[in-house]
Amino acid sequence: AASYVANAPTLLLLTGAIFWQDHRFVWYLVAASTLHVFLWFLLNTVTWAAANPFEEPSYTGIWGLFFAFVATALRHRVLWYSTKMLQDDKKRYDELWSAICSDTDKVACIRHLENVVRMIGLDQPRYCRQYNRHTAPSEPPRRSGRGGEGEGLCPLFQEIFHVPLKGPPNVADPVRSFDQLYAQAALASPILRQRVKDWASRSNGLLQGRGPGGEKTYVC
C-alpha cells in the first residue's frame, strides 16, 4: 500500500503533463522521476527501516531519468543540425541587410515604413497575429446527397482527417512556429498550382480585364 501511495504523486504529475501537452514535458518527466526516487528513498528509510536505503533502487525513477536524458540529447542534436542548415541562409541575410543599411536612401525608406506602421497601429500585438482556422474531422457526404464540410476541397484535407471550416479564424489557436507555417504552405502549394493551371487554361494564358465600355477582355 505504501508503494502505491508513493507512486500516486508521480502518476498525477505525468498525467497532468500528458493532458496539457506542454512543450516542457521533459521537465515534467524529470520532476516526476526525481520525486519518485525521493519517495522511494523515504519508504526504504522510514517505512521498511532498511539498513541500506539504496539496496532496492527505484527502477521506475531511474528509467524515467534515462528517457528524459535521451530525449534531451536527441533534441539538442536536432537543434544543432537545424542551426547548421540555416547558417548559409543567415549569411546571405546578413549580407543583404548590411547592403541595405549602407545605402542612405534604403534606410530612409525603412524608417518611413516604420513610421507608417506605427501611425496605422499595426505594431500593436492585437493586430500582428496569425491564427489557425477552425477545423472539423472529415466525414463522408451525407445520405441525403448534400456534401459535408469538405466537399469541393483538395483531397489532402480529407487524408489528414481535418477540414477547415468557413468563417473567422480560431483566435484561441494562434500560429506558434515557422514549422507550422511551412507545413500549411506545403499543403496550399499543390492546391494553388492546380488552380493556377485551371485559370490559365480557361483564359488561354491571358489576364482578364475590362475594356473602355466595360466589356470583358483578355490582355497579355
Side-chain angles (χ1 to χ4, degrees), residues 17 21-30:
Q21 295 184 355
D22 197 281
H23 65 281
R24 294 182 293 268
F25 175 78
V26 174
W27 293 108
Y28 287 115
L29 180 59
V30 171

Side-chain angles (χ1 to χ4, degrees), residues 115-146:
N115 294 331
V116 171
V117 169
R118 289 182 177 178
M119 179 181 63
I120 298 175
L122 294 179
D123 58 334
Q124 300 298 324
R126 63 178 181 272
Y127 291 114
C128 296
R129 293 285 180 89
Q130 185 166 356
Y131 300 98
N132 295 302
R133 304 198 66 82
H134 291 277
T135 59
S138 59
E139 297 179 355
R142 299 185 180 92
R143 293 183 179 181
S144 60
R146 299 176 58 187

Side-chain angles (χ1 to χ4, degrees), residues 22-27 67-83:
D22 197 281
H23 65 281
R24 294 182 293 268
F25 175 78
V26 174
W27 293 108
F67 284 122
F69 172 78
V70 172
T72 303
L74 292 177
R75 178 178 180 274
H76 282 285
R77 180 174 177 270
V78 172
L79 289 176
W80 182 81
Y81 276 111
S82 301
T83 304

Side-chain angles (χ1 to χ4, degrees), residues 1-219:
S3 61
Y4 287 112
V5 173
N7 290 331
T10 303
L11 294 177
L12 288 176
L13 190 59
L14 288 177
T15 303
I18 295 173
F19 177 77
W20 281 296
Q21 295 184 355
D22 197 281
H23 65 281
R24 294 182 293 268
F25 175 78
V26 174
W27 293 108
Y28 287 115
L29 180 59
V30 171
S33 302
T34 305
L35 178 62
H36 191 276
V37 172
F38 176 73
L39 293 177
W40 194 264
F41 174 81
L42 288 181
L43 284 176
N44 286 341
T45 305
V46 179
T47 306
W48 298 325
N52 183 9
F54 297 100
E55 182 177 355
E56 187 178 353
S58 171
Y59 293 105
T60 302
I62 293 175
W63 276 110
L65 291 174
F66 173 76
F67 284 122
F69 172 78
V70 172
T72 303
L74 292 177
R75 178 178 180 274
H76 282 285
R77 180 174 177 270
V78 172
L79 289 176
W80 182 81
Y81 276 111
S82 301
T83 304
K84 184 179 180 180
M85 292 173 61
L86 292 175
Q87 288 303 316
D88 292 339
D89 294 336
K90 181 179 181 301
K91 182 179 179 181
R92 294 177 184 176
Y93 177 84
D94 291 340
E95 292 176 353
L96 179 60
W97 183 250
S98 299
I100 293 175
C101 292
S102 62
D103 192 328
T104 307
D105 294 335
K106 293 180 180 179
V107 172
C109 292
I110 294 176
R111 296 297 182 187
H112 175 69
L113 180 60
E114 179 183 3
N115 294 331
V116 171
V117 169
R118 289 182 177 178
M119 179 181 63
I120 298 175
L122 294 179
D123 58 334
Q124 300 298 324
R126 63 178 181 272
Y127 291 114
C128 296
R129 293 285 180 89
Q130 185 166 356
Y131 300 98
N132 295 302
R133 304 198 66 82
H134 291 277
T135 59
S138 59
E139 297 179 355
R142 299 185 180 92
R143 293 183 179 181
S144 60
R146 299 176 58 187
E149 290 287 349
E151 184 180 12
L153 291 176
C154 178
L156 285 174
F157 291 106
Q158 298 287 348
E159 293 178 4
I160 62 177
F161 303 105
H162 278 281
V163 175
L165 302 179
K166 297 180 180 179
N170 185 7
V171 296
D173 186 17
V175 175
R176 294 184 173 87
S177 68
F178 285 108
D179 291 338
Q180 191 174 356
L181 294 177
Y182 184 85
Q184 293 172 352
L187 286 175
S189 178
I191 302 173
L192 180 59
R193 289 174 182 271
Q194 185 60 42
R195 292 194 177 185
V196 169
K197 291 179 181 179
D198 295 338
W199 295 335
S201 177
R202 294 176 184 178
S203 62
N204 295 323
L206 302 177
L207 298 177
Q208 181 178 338
R210 294 289 179 180
E215 68 277 7
K216 183 185 298 184
T217 60
Y218 292 95
V219 297

